[in-house]
Amino acid sequence: MKERLTDKIEDGWESFINGIGRGILIQLISEEIDPATRSGKSAESFVRGWLPKPSNNPYIVEYGADFVVPRDFGCPGAILISNFHDKEFFLVESVVHGFSEGPIFFRADTWIPSRKDNPESRIIFKNQAYLPSQTPPGIKDLRREDLLSIRGNGKGERKLHERIYDYDVYNDLGNPNKSEDTVRPVLGNEDWPYPRRCRTGRPPTKKDPFTETRVEKPHPVYVPRDETFEEIKQNTFSAGRLKAVLHNLIPLIAAKMSSSDIPFTNFSDIEKLYNEGVLSKEEEQKAVKMNQILANVMNQLLTVGDKLLKYDTPAIIKRDRFAWLRDNEFARQILAGVNPVNIQLLEELPILSTLDPAIYGPPESAITREILEKELHRTTVEQAIKEKRLFILDYHDMLLPFMEKMNSLPGRKAYASRTILYYTETGILRPIVIELSLPPTPSSPSNKRIFTHGHDATTYWIWKLAKAHVCSNDAGVHQLVNHWLRTHASMEPYIIATHRQLSSMHPVHKLLHPHMRYTMEINALARQSLINGGGIIEACFSPGKYAMEISSAAYKSMWRFDMEALPADLIRRGMAVEDPSMPGGVKLLIEDYPYAADGLLIWSAIKEMVTSYVDHYYSQTNSVKSDVELQSWWDEIKNKGHHDKRNEPWWPNLATNDDLSGILTTMIWVASGQHAAINFGQYPFGGYPPNRPTLMRKSIPEEGDPDYEKFLHNPEYTFLTSLPTQLQATKVMAVQDTLSTHSADEEYINQLNDIHRLSFNDPEVQELFKRFSTKLEEIEQIIHQRNKNIKLKNRNGAGVPPYELLLPSSPPGVTGRGIPNSISI
C-alpha cells in the first residue's frame, strides 16, 4: 500500500497517469560482454505510456516498454531505471518477456528517487542468486558499482531520499543544548561500549561537539529510504500513539490538578483502567471543556470507537485476578513470562560477587547455607545442589554499581537483588529467599537484607514488597538488556553490513532480507522517543537517566555473539546439558520450561533450513573462505558494527559451511524467535502494574522507620504507593500495548516460503523453504498439544494462561503469539 492513484492526480502526476511516457528510462543489461565497450551489452527504451491492464490492487499501476535487441544479445542480468519525474515512485518488479528462457523476473521492492535528487540510475538484478565468483561477466561491474553507491563516503548529512548505509556511535540520545539535565554520555567507546547504529550525519550540538543534534517528533530521523515503514505499518504505529495520548489524558489532568503525580491508592483504581475505561462520560465532558485542543483530539479519536478509551484486560489477570500474588506464579513467569532468559542453575555456595570488594564490600552473599536449609525443610543444601534443584535470578553485580545514582533520583528506590528458587520433586519452581542489597556505608558495611516467605501477616506483606522489587529489576533488565540491547541494537550492525558488503544478488543477502524488515526504522524511532534522555524508558523505569549506562555496562560484561545462540545460552546458564539426540542438541534440566522447550523447536527448524541453504550454494570446497563479499561482511560486523568488542577471542571463525550456518542461524533466531519471545508478552504480562512494576518509589519499611506504623496499619496502601504513579503506569501500559501489537502488514516466519518465492527462481531453494513452512506447521501443533498437557503446570492448570509466544502464526493486534521474521516493533 503506497498511495491511492487518484490522490496522485491532484498531486501533479497527470503526466504519469495519462501515460505521456518518457518519464521512466529503462536499460536492459545482458549477462554477456559487448567486446566494443567491455561491459554488458545493453539496450534502452522509455516506458510507453499507460498500459490499461486491469489490476485488483488500487495501489499498483503497470507500465510497458518495448526493446529491440540483436539476436546474440544473451540473457538480461540487470536493468537500470532512471526516473525523470519530479517525485519518487515505488517499483515493485519488472518482468521481461520475449527471450527463449521465458519471462525473466526482476524483483525490486524499492523506491526510485527522482533524477533531480539522485542522477544515478538504480540497478536492479534478476531473481537469481550468484556468489561473487559466479557473477556473469556482463553484470560484474554493476555488482561492484551498486555496493559502492550504498556505502556512501561517510561525509555530510544524510537526506531522506538516500539509501546510504553507514555506522555511527549512539551520540544522539542526549540534548546538551536543551539543559544540563538532558546531557547523556556517548555510547560506543572504551568507557561506554555499545553496538553501532546507522549514521545520519547531523551536525554536532553547540554545547558539545561529540553529541549530534536531535530531530524531534514529528520530524523523521534518517534511515535508508527502503527501511522506512509502509503506510499500513505507519498507521498501526500511529494508532498506538494516539491511544497513548488518550490513555494519558486523565492522569495528566489529575496530575495538573493536584500538587504532584498521584499514586494508585487501592486496587480498584487500577481495575478502573480496564473495566470502565480511562474516561467516564462526565469526565470526558469536563476534559473537553477544560481545553479546546484536547477537545479536538477527543473528537478525532472518538470516531475511532470506544475501544480507544479502554485498556484491554491483560492476559495475566484475565483468567485469575489474584494469580500474580502467589509465589508459584512469580516463579512460573521466570520460565514462561516475558523475560525467561535470566534464570540460572545455582552450582555452589557461597554465592560470590565479582565486583571490587574495596568499593562494594565483602564478595559473599548474605544468603547462607543455614538460611537456605530452613526453607528447604528436609533437604540439605548439598543434596539440592547435587540434584540440580536450586536456581538463582541474580541482578546483584549488574545493578549494584548503579544503586547510588539510581537512589539519588526523585521518587526512585531500588536494591540490587538475588532470588533463590527451589525446584520441588513435584515439578514446581518456588522462590525461597530474596536478598536485596545497597552499596556498603560506614554504618553498615554489609548493606544486605534477607527476606523469606514467612507465615505471619507482616512477614507476608514484606515478602510481597521484596518480590515487587525483584520484578522491578527484572522489568528494567528485560527492557534495557534482553530486549533493546540483545535484539534491537545488536541486530542493526548486521543489517548495515549486509547492505554494504553483500550484493542484493548474494545468496546470504537474499536469505537475510526478510529478517531485516523495519528494524532500522523502529530503532530510529526508539532513539527519538523511547531510550533518549527524558524519554519514556527513563521516565518510567527504575534506572531513570542511567538506563542506557546500564545497557552499555551489560554489553561490556556479558554480550557475546556466540552465546546469543539459544542452545549455547541455555548451557551457559546451566539450564541445559549437551545431548545430540534432542532438538537443538541439548537436554533441559527443567523439562517444563516453556520458552526453552518451544524455542529449541524453532531454533532447530531454522538451523535445518539454513544448513540446507548454505550447503546448496556453497557446494565447492573452500567456497566460504574464498567468498570475498562474505569475508568482508563478517570482518565489518566484528570490526565496525561491534567495534568495541572487535578484539574478543570468542567471535566464531568463518571458514566452513558449518561456521556460516551457525552464524546465520543465530542472526535469524535473534531477529525472529528470540525477539518474539521477549517482546509480544509485554502487555499481556506488564499491562497490570502490580505484576511487573517498572520502578519502585519506596524502600521496604523496617522497624523503627517513621513509615513502619503506617505500613502495619494499611499494608495495601504502602504496597500500591510503592508502585509507579498513575501517570507512569499508564504511560508504560500505552507503550507496552503498542510494542505488543502486530501490524496488519506483519510478515511471519511461517510465511517465508511465500516471501522467498518472489526472489528465487531455483526450484531446489523453493522446495527447501516449503519444507521449512511444513515443519513450522508441525511445531505449531506440538505447542498446542503441550498447552493441553496437564503435566506441564507452567502452561496448563486452573487460571494458567497457555504459553503461546513462540507459536509461529498470529492475526493482527495484541495476541501474545506469532513470530515475525524481523524486529519490526
Side-chain angles (χ1 to χ4, degrees):
M1 173 174 165
K2 296 300 163 192
E3 53 185 312
R4 285 191 174 275
L5 296 172
T6 46
D7 301 344
K8 290 181 177 166
I9 297 178
E10 297 154 22
D11 218 0
W13 273 53
E14 294 92 336
S15 60
F16 208 116
I17 296 296
N18 299 338
I20 294 162
R22 299 202 68 77
I24 304 168
L25 175 66
I26 307 177
Q27 281 173 279
L28 212 51
I29 309 292
S30 169
E31 292 184 340
E32 294 178 14
I33 291 273
D34 181 339
T37 62
R38 295 199 176 166
S39 54
K41 296 173 182 175
S42 73
E44 64 177 52
S45 169
F46 279 94
V47 298
R48 57 163 163 34
W50 182 255
L51 179 65
K53 197 169 176 187
S55 166
N56 308 333
N57 190 328
Y59 302 102
I60 291 177
V61 283
E62 292 192 11
Y63 284 94
D66 296 312
F67 291 90
V68 177
V69 297
R71 215 172 271 286
D72 64 352
F73 185 77
C75 183
I79 52 177
L80 271 52
I81 308 265
S82 304
N83 173 11
F84 288 91
H85 291 285
D86 289 346
K87 244 182 129 176
E88 63 178 358
F89 63 83
F90 188 82
L91 178 65
V92 179
E93 76 172 345
S94 306
V95 188
V96 178
H97 300 271
F99 283 88
S100 57
E101 292 88 345
I104 301 162
F105 292 87
F106 295 76
R107 189 74 194 177
D109 284 328
T110 185
W111 287 96
I112 310 287
S114 162
R115 280 191 63 110
K116 287 193 313 190
D117 290 327
N118 182 356
E120 287 178 19
S121 300
R122 172 59 58 80
I123 303 164
I124 311 288
F125 297 106
K126 75 169 184 184
N127 291 7
Q128 168 96 29
Y130 289 114
L131 294 176
S133 58
Q134 300 163 341
T135 316
I139 55 175
K140 230 175 193 147
D141 288 351
L142 290 178
R143 182 172 185 143
R144 193 171 58 246
E145 203 180 297
D146 193 41
L147 282 175
L148 288 173
S149 73
I150 285 169
R151 289 176 200 160
N153 59 8
K155 295 184 180 130
E157 185 171 349
R158 296 274 66 88
K159 296 179 180 63
L160 293 174
H161 67 262
E162 294 175 332
R163 56 168 200 143
I164 289 175
Y165 294 77
D166 204 352
Y167 301 94
D168 209 343
V169 292
Y170 278 69
N171 59 358
D172 61 343
L173 300 178
N175 188 351
N177 289 349
K178 193 174 175 185
S179 74
E180 195 58 37
D181 203 41
T182 50
V183 173
R184 295 292 178 273
V186 171
L187 307 183
N189 51 48
E190 222 168 292
D191 295 335
W192 298 110
Y194 219 59
R196 296 303 186 255
R197 64 167 177 94
C198 176
R199 180 184 177 278
T200 58
R202 296 191 301 267
T205 58
K206 289 190 178 75
K207 293 214 172 148
D208 176 10
F210 298 108
T211 298
E212 189 173 90
T213 45
R214 286 183 54 75
V215 173
E216 302 296 353
K217 281 183 195 162
H219 303 291
V221 175
Y222 168 80
V223 291
R225 183 64 185 98
D226 290 338
E227 302 293 334
T228 54
F229 287 169
E230 294 183 22
E231 281 85 334
I232 296 176
K233 175 74 171 181
Q234 192 59 56
N235 293 346
T236 306
F237 197 74
S238 302
R241 288 234 297 274
L242 295 179
K243 207 190 273 192
V245 169
L246 249 200
H247 283 329
N248 286 330
L249 267 182
I250 275 303
L252 261 175
I253 292 164
K256 285 212 167 67
M257 294 191 310
S258 68
S259 57
S260 66
D261 191 3
I262 55 174
F264 294 109
T265 53
N266 55 59
F267 282 100
S268 54
D269 280 353
I270 300 172
E271 277 157 25
K272 274 182 195 160
L273 295 173
Y274 318 107
N275 302 337
E276 296 158 29
V278 177
L279 294 178
S280 70
K281 282 284 176 223
E282 284 164 40
E283 285 171 318
E284 185 190 300
Q285 280 152 10
K286 272 187 216 161
V288 170
K289 280 176 193 158
M290 273 180 71
N291 187 327
Q292 203 48 49
I293 297 168
L294 288 183
N296 292 340
V297 173
M298 293 300 307
N299 292 337
Q300 280 172 34
L301 289 172
L302 291 173
T303 59
V304 183
D306 296 335
K307 253 193 105 172
L308 273 181
L309 301 178
K310 206 172 187 182
Y311 278 104
D312 294 326
T313 305
I316 188 60
I317 55 165
K318 209 173 246 175
R319 293 172 179 229
D320 180 349
R321 274 173 59 203
F322 303 110
W324 66 277
L325 283 163
R326 293 196 297 269
D327 285 355
N328 65 335
E329 178 60 21
F330 170 88
R332 189 190 76 82
Q333 288 183 32
I334 292 171
L335 297 173
V338 70
N339 189 38
V341 296
N342 282 105
I343 182 173
Q344 300 177 59
L345 179 69
L346 181 64
E347 300 190 50
E348 57 182 7
L349 281 182
I351 300 161
L352 297 173
S353 166
T354 57
L355 299 173
D356 181 354
I359 304 171
Y360 300 105
E364 294 82 12
S365 161
I367 302 170
T368 60
R369 179 175 267 97
E370 294 69 43
I371 290 168
L372 286 173
E373 287 190 346
K374 232 181 250 175
E375 300 304 314
L376 290 173
H377 306 305
R378 286 182 293 279
T379 308
T380 65
V381 167
E382 279 74 15
Q383 196 184 343
I385 285 178
K386 192 179 167 196
E387 291 174 7
K388 300 189 171 178
R389 293 192 177 279
L390 285 177
F391 295 87
I392 183 168
L393 192 64
D394 192 346
Y395 296 133
H396 179 277
D397 287 9
M398 193 188 288
L399 298 178
L400 194 64
F402 293 91
M403 275 304 127
E404 259 174 56
K405 288 179 175 178
M406 284 164 63
N407 285 327
S408 69
L409 297 168
R412 309 282 160 109
K413 284 291 173 273
Y415 303 89
S417 62
R418 288 188 177 111
T419 308
I420 305 294
L421 302 113
Y422 178 62
Y423 184 56
T424 66
E425 282 79 357
T426 52
I428 298 293
L429 191 67
R430 61 183 181 89
I432 54 172
V433 181
I434 291 172
E435 174 195 69
L436 299 181
S437 308
L438 292 170
T441 60
S443 58
S444 57
S446 177
N447 213 345
K448 302 177 193 301
R449 291 174 68 184
I450 293 291
F451 302 88
T452 55
H453 185 284
H455 296 287
D456 62 284
T458 306
T459 318
Y460 180 72
W461 271 102
I462 294 278
W463 172 248
K464 217 191 306 290
L465 282 165
K467 284 196 300 181
H469 274 277
V470 172
C471 288
S472 154
N473 286 346
D474 193 69
V477 171
H478 163 260
Q479 199 63 273
L480 296 165
V481 180
N482 300 328
H483 181 211
W484 172 257
L485 166 67
R486 290 176 63 190
T487 65
H488 285 260
S490 297
M491 195 72 200
E492 189 156 341
Y494 313 150
I495 295 170
I496 298 171
T498 300
H499 285 281
R500 285 169 55 88
Q501 298 298 341
L502 299 178
S503 162
S504 58
M505 62 171 123
H506 195 291
V508 170
H509 186 133
K510 282 178 175 284
L511 176 70
L512 288 177
H513 191 261
H515 306 289
M516 308 191 289
R517 183 176 188 239
Y518 291 158
T519 304
M520 290 176 75
E521 169 89 338
I522 196 69
N523 286 3
L525 288 162
R527 296 200 315 273
Q528 197 174 34
S529 59
L530 280 181
I531 61 167
N532 58 307
I536 288 164
I537 300 292
E538 288 193 0
C540 303
F541 283 79
S542 280
K545 65 195 274 190
Y546 306 107
M548 290 304 285
E549 292 181 21
I550 288 179
S551 192
S552 166
Y555 179 66
K556 186 177 194 169
S557 66
M558 61 154 283
W559 187 87
R560 36 187 293 183
F561 182 87
D562 59 332
M563 291 296 159
E564 294 302 299
L566 177 61
D569 174 59
L570 292 168
I571 290 169
R572 161 167 76 167
R573 293 189 281 119
M575 299 303 292
V577 290
E578 284 190 39
D579 180 345
S581 69
M582 301 292 283
V586 297
K587 184 180 191 313
L588 294 172
L589 251 58
I590 297 177
E591 191 191 336
D592 187 12
Y593 182 179
Y595 155 76
D598 295 359
L600 286 166
L601 295 178
I602 301 289
W603 166 272
S604 305
I606 295 171
K607 190 168 186 348
E608 191 182 315
M609 178 267 287
V610 168
T611 303
S612 306
Y613 184 90
V614 165
D615 289 346
H616 176 73
Y617 284 105
Y618 291 91
S619 51
Q620 307 291 315
T621 333
N622 283 340
S623 49
V624 166
K625 238 182 188 165
S626 60
D627 182 337
V628 286
E629 285 182 8
L630 190 72
Q631 294 299 331
S632 302
W633 169 78
W634 188 233
D635 281 348
E636 187 164 293
I637 285 170
K638 294 182 295 185
N639 294 313
K640 281 191 172 175
H642 283 274
H643 178 78
D644 305 322
K645 292 267 187 181
R646 64 194 178 284
N647 298 323
E648 297 287 358
W650 42 250
W651 283 104
N653 289 324
L654 181 50
T656 65
N657 285 20
D658 280 355
D659 295 342
L660 179 56
S661 300
I663 288 166
L664 294 173
T665 303
T666 298
M667 287 178 180
I668 292 171
W669 160 253
V670 168
S672 57
Q674 181 66 5
H675 180 257
I678 52 185
N679 181 70
F680 293 103
Q682 289 196 76
Y683 187 76
F685 286 100
Y688 185 65
N691 184 52
R692 277 182 79 73
T694 54
L695 57 83
M696 295 295 280
R697 299 186 312 120
K698 290 181 177 176
S699 302
I700 296 182
E702 289 185 80
E703 278 187 69
D705 286 353
D707 285 344
Y708 193 72
E709 285 305 313
K710 278 188 200 162
F711 158 68
L712 292 178
H713 181 65
N714 191 345
E716 182 185 333
Y717 181 85
T718 300
F719 181 83
L720 287 170
T721 54
S722 299
L723 301 181
T725 63
Q726 294 199 20
L727 180 58
Q728 285 167 332
T730 48
K731 256 189 188 176
V732 167
M733 287 161 74
V735 171
Q736 288 172 333
D737 191 38
T738 301
L739 296 184
S740 305
T741 300
H742 289 298
S743 164
D745 73 338
E746 190 57 270
E747 293 175 356
Y748 300 93
I749 194 162
N750 64 327
Q751 298 168 328
L752 266 181
N753 179 31
D754 298 326
I755 295 161
H756 278 311
R757 203 165 40 220
L758 300 168
S759 43
F760 287 97
N761 58 3
D762 184 328
E764 255 183 78
V765 174
Q766 289 180 355
E767 184 53 40
L768 184 154
F769 288 120
K770 213 158 139 191
R771 282 203 307 273
F772 180 61
S773 286
T774 309
K775 184 83 178 164
L776 290 175
E777 279 168 28
E778 289 166 17
I779 290 172
E780 193 145 320
Q781 290 315 309
I782 293 170
I783 293 174
H784 285 310
Q785 290 312 120
R786 286 175 174 176
N787 285 332
K788 289 176 188 158
N789 184 344
I790 51 171
K791 288 182 189 156
L792 300 177
K793 297 183 177 70
N794 289 324
R795 56 202 307 159
N796 182 298
V800 176
Y803 186 78
E804 297 183 326
L805 287 166
L806 286 166
L807 280 173
S809 68
S810 174
V814 179
T815 61
R817 60 175 287 177
I819 303 178
N821 286 317
S822 63
I823 298 167
S824 60
I825 187 71

